[in-house]
Amino acid sequence: MLTFVTRLGAVLLPLFPFALGTRVVMDWLENGRTLNGIALLLGCLAALALVEGLIFRLWILPAWGQSLGERLYGGSYLPEEDELAQLSARIRRTEDTSLLPDMQRLVRRQRKRARGWLELARLHQDVTHDDEAALHTLLEGADAVPDPEEKAMFLYRAGALTADKLQSPARAAEYFSRAATQHPQTAYGKHAATRAAKGKRPR
């Protein structure tokens, strides 16, 4: 809930200076400064579009894409009927890291299920703040799941995590390349090819 409120606040925040700018525009129009008012209005609209576009491009859309990817490839379930979901929720609620080995055993027992590996990797990031452990989980998930799209998803996420959190472009390029070459026809494989190509451009 807090994350949703934070993102909503980020989207709404640029509207306040825009509203102030429009008040100035109205004052100018009322005082006969029509051209100046129109120019200021256009400038305010351009600035608002730029800022909102950056917020959506860099923050909102990636989060939505990640959530959608987990729903598509992770599978659906009712939390009250799913042992994995219950244990994950308990770890998040209590932040009891001693339960992580139980979570790992459960995930490996259901190793073909992408949702488990995604949940475990997220717990490593959110609860123990161990990005290396999250990376290892994603790579293990890529080897465990049978579906090519899911394999490509795990490799792509491993590359993104390595590039964005671990700040290791060389390792990230390796994972992107694996996703692109091993699963070229998948959606995540194609995304990985794009990321890999960007990483090879001269700076």
Side-chain angles (χ1 to χ4, degrees):
M1 179 64 181
L2 181 60
T3 301
F4 171 78
V5 172
T6 302
R7 292 190 179 122
L8 180 61
V11 172
L12 295 178
L13 185 60
L15 295 178
F16 290 102
F18 177 76
L20 293 176
T22 55
R23 292 188 62 180
V24 176
V25 169
M26 294 302 297
D27 290 340
W28 286 4
L29 292 177
E30 291 175 359
N31 293 326
R33 302 175 62 183
T34 305
L35 293 179
N36 290 338
I38 294 175
L40 179 59
L41 178 61
L42 293 176
C44 289
L45 288 172
L48 179 65
L50 176 62
V51 173
E52 293 287 5
L54 289 174
I55 290 174
F56 273 87
R57 174 68 178 83
L58 300 178
W59 193 19
I60 304 297
L61 293 181
W64 285 352
Q66 180 171 327
S67 177
L68 178 61
E70 290 179 0
R71 289 180 180 275
L72 288 176
Y73 304 117
S76 59
Y77 56 83
L78 295 176
E80 63 272 14
E81 299 176 359
D82 190 276
E83 183 181 4
L84 188 148
Q86 290 179 340
L87 182 56
S88 177
R90 181 182 174 189
I91 294 172
R92 289 184 179 280
R93 183 177 64 254
T94 64
E95 296 189 350
D96 185 356
T97 57
S98 68
L99 296 174
L100 277 175
D102 293 335
M103 183 71 174
Q104 290 170 336
R105 284 190 289 271
L106 180 58
V107 169
R108 290 180 178 129
R109 194 165 69 234
Q110 304 175 12
R111 58 184 295 105
K112 293 183 179 181
R113 185 182 180 189
R115 168 68 67 174
W117 299 107
L118 290 171
E119 291 281 359
L120 182 56
R122 189 69 67 81
L123 288 173
H124 281 306
Q125 286 189 273
D126 297 344
V127 178
T128 65
H129 307 290
D130 189 343
D131 290 329
E132 283 288 352
L135 173 63
H136 178 77
T137 299
L138 292 172
L139 294 176
E140 191 173 354
D143 291 333
V145 296
D147 184 78
E149 189 70 66
E150 292 176 346
K151 286 179 176 292
M153 176 190 66
F154 280 115
L155 289 172
Y156 179 87
R157 291 188 184 280
L161 175 63
T162 306
D164 301 336
K165 298 293 185 179
L166 299 177
Q167 301 296 310
S168 179
R171 292 169 66 192
E174 175 190 348
Y175 303 137
F176 287 136
S177 179
R178 282 175 56 186
T181 57
Q182 295 176 9
H183 312 287
Q185 301 304 316
T186 64
Y188 275 98
K190 294 174 182 177
H191 288 313
T194 301
R195 289 287 297 264
K198 288 182 179 178
K200 292 179 181 179
R201 292 176 182 173
R203 298 181 181 274

